[in-house]
Amino acid sequence: MLVEKNVPLQSSNSFGIVAKALTLVRIGSEADIAAVLQNPALHAGPTFILGGGSNIVLTGDVKPLVLKVEITGKRLVKETDKAWIIEAGAGENWHELVTWTLQHGFPGLENLALIPGTVGASPVQNIGAYGVELQDRFDSLDAVDLSTGQTFTLNAAQCAFGYRDSVFKHASTPTDSGAAGFGLAGKALITRVRFALPKLWKPVLGYADIEKKRLQSKVEEPTALQIYEWVCEIRRAKLPDPKVIGNAGSFFKNPTVSPEQCEDIIQRDPKIVHYQLADGSVKLAAGWLIDACGWKGKSIGNAGVYDKQALVLVNRGGAANPVTGGEVMTLAKAIQTSVYERFGLRLEPEPVVV
Ligand code: EPU
């Protein structure tokens, strides 16, 4: 096991923020985790698990021990009547996995093409796009308990998936209200994830952007590969490529309100983009709210609001003069204040602030 000191993280976070990991260990297998846990100097303090760094804002050097997950491998592990079960190492690149599954004839992940980040991070925030969420294709995952070194497996129910949420986003410590926390944040390292990809595959259409592509191309029954290509085209047109313009994808979650609250907002802003949810509540498009407050294209220091999608905050200084985590958070807070003052809604950030 190699213990690295003062490791630059600029190329390990998709914003391109300059920061260092004071101590970093690369995790290529369960044996590497065991070696860390057997080393009292490393095991004593807190840890921070780093995947693709595509959903984090670094506000300074990272003092907890950084475990950089680099576990690889992609394979078909099982076939049932209904599904192919595909397993991938947590360190695999998400988009490469999506491409690989389609090349091998396993459809189901096409709507999730081009989402930045790693396989291990995908269940943490239950990634989703164009009508499909990770939980719709999830089978199970393996993880290691960082306090005991035990390996365990979780099914979907045990992961407690929600909208951009899972058990891995919640602390295990008691909450402010005194209730016992149920979470695994910082407590477990995901090593492998298994996906159940349906043999009776049906395209997930219906999203406005996808429907537009379908009408333009006049394809009645698109294949999984066709949808994959459309999703790649849509994302490339509307979302900045982190390799070119640093960003962490959507910066805020889309807020959910009651029908009464929504009605109240519609009275004032009839054009608000909203979607009815199955449980009766209404989801509002945070990008629209931010756009309506006039933030699109604006900047604070080197932190900017992307000019084609107001939900995405970007690094306007590039690699040479990069944005700081402080600038990103100052911009995020200014946006939250505007949206609160105009709509009475508190936007919740999606990335983890480190
Ligand atoms: N809109 C505006 N102005 C903007 C941005 C959006 O008016 O500046 C409007 C759009 O016109 C559209 C609506 O808001 O009517 C929703 O926009 P979009 O379809 O781009 O989707 P989104 O709700 O902003 C969500 C996910 C994305 C995912 C897309 C497609 C969240 C927080 N974001 O974005 O996920 O790719 O749907 O499914 O749920 C991510 O999480 O990093 C991410 C990119």
Side-chain angles (χ1 to χ4, degrees):
M1 175 184 57
L2 182 64
V3 179
E4 298 170 59
K5 295 281 181 190
N6 296 319
V7 181
L9 294 178
Q10 189 178 15
S11 60
S12 300
N13 74 98
S14 61
F15 258 120
I17 293 169
V18 171
K20 287 191 302 254
L22 299 192
T23 313
L24 181 145
V25 175
R26 292 172 201 278
I27 303 295
S29 66
E30 280 84 350
D32 290 333
I33 306 174
V36 169
L37 298 184
Q38 278 156 20
N39 182 326
L42 291 176
H43 190 203
T47 48
F48 175 71
I49 300 164
L50 179 62
S54 60
N55 205 40
I56 57 172
V57 183
L58 297 173
T59 55
D61 290 341
V62 185
K63 291 174 193 77
L65 168 67
V66 176
L67 300 177
K68 175 112 175 36
V69 184
E70 297 184 348
I71 300 169
T72 56
K74 305 189 265 284
R75 63 192 182 116
L76 171 70
V77 281
K78 203 167 88 181
E79 202 177 325
T80 67
D81 290 349
K82 294 205 175 114
W84 290 286
I85 310 294
I86 305 295
E87 181 181 85
E92 289 285 348
N93 174 274
W94 173 261
H95 179 67
E96 282 169 22
L97 170 70
V98 174
T99 309
W100 182 91
T101 54
L102 291 165
Q103 282 168 348
H104 286 77
F106 311 127
L109 297 179
E110 56 284 345
N111 293 49
L112 303 176
L114 269 192
I115 295 183
T118 55
V119 166
S122 66
V124 174
Q125 56 152 346
N126 185 21
I127 58 172
Y130 308 105
V132 176
E133 281 186 317
L134 177 110
Q135 64 175 338
D136 304 323
R137 304 286 184 249
F138 181 83
D139 175 72
S140 56
L141 61 79
D142 298 335
V144 175
D145 181 322
L146 291 174
S147 48
T148 63
Q150 294 287 320
T151 296
F152 59 94
T153 298
L154 295 184
N155 63 25
Q158 291 165 319
C159 288
F161 290 123
Y163 167 57
R164 296 294 193 275
D165 197 28
S166 77
V167 72
F168 297 99
K169 276 198 135 182
H170 294 265
S172 59
T173 45
T175 60
D176 291 344
S177 63
F182 68 99
L184 290 173
K187 294 278 166 204
L189 188 147
I190 297 167
T191 51
R192 286 183 180 78
V193 184
R194 283 173 293 277
F195 304 90
L197 302 184
K199 288 189 172 170
L200 281 178
W201 174 84
K202 279 207 295 266
V204 179
L205 303 167
Y207 247 66
D209 286 340
I210 303 252
E211 281 306 308
K212 221 185 276 170
K213 287 276 178 197
R214 197 165 68 88
L215 289 173
Q216 275 165 7
S217 61
K218 302 197 173 65
V219 174
E220 270 307 309
E221 287 181 23
T223 61
L225 208 52
Q226 176 69 78
I227 294 175
Y228 167 90
E229 274 154 21
W230 288 342
V231 169
C232 290
E233 285 168 22
I234 295 165
R235 292 187 77 97
R236 285 195 176 113
K238 165 167 207 185
L239 296 167
D241 177 353
K243 288 194 199 99
V244 184
I245 305 173
N247 74 91
S250 299
F251 199 89
F252 299 99
K253 294 185 186 183
N254 285 327
T256 305
V257 297
S258 67
E260 295 74 30
Q261 267 177 301
C262 185
E263 207 39 58
D264 187 47
I265 298 174
I266 290 174
Q267 294 290 320
R268 287 178 280 141
D269 284 280
K271 289 200 189 125
I272 188 163
V273 178
H274 58 286
Y275 317 92
Q276 198 70 46
L277 299 182
D279 66 1
S281 60
V282 184
K283 190 152 101 175
L284 306 176
W288 187 91
L289 300 170
I290 299 167
D291 199 355
C293 290
W295 278 104
K296 201 184 247 179
K298 298 272 167 62
S299 298
I300 292 185
N302 277 330
V305 180
Y306 192 50
D307 40 19
K308 292 186 204 148
Q309 174 33 306
L311 196 50
V312 179
L313 304 191
V314 296
N315 171 9
R316 288 215 199 282
N321 184 22
V323 71
T324 64
E327 284 174 320
V328 172
M329 295 317 293
T330 302
L331 176 60
K333 288 199 178 98
I335 292 170
Q336 283 171 313
T337 304
S338 290
V339 170
Y340 185 72
E341 283 171 357
R342 172 144 176 209
F343 298 102
L345 297 166
R346 290 188 196 281
L347 290 183
E348 194 189 326
E350 209 195 271
V352 176
V353 182
V354 187

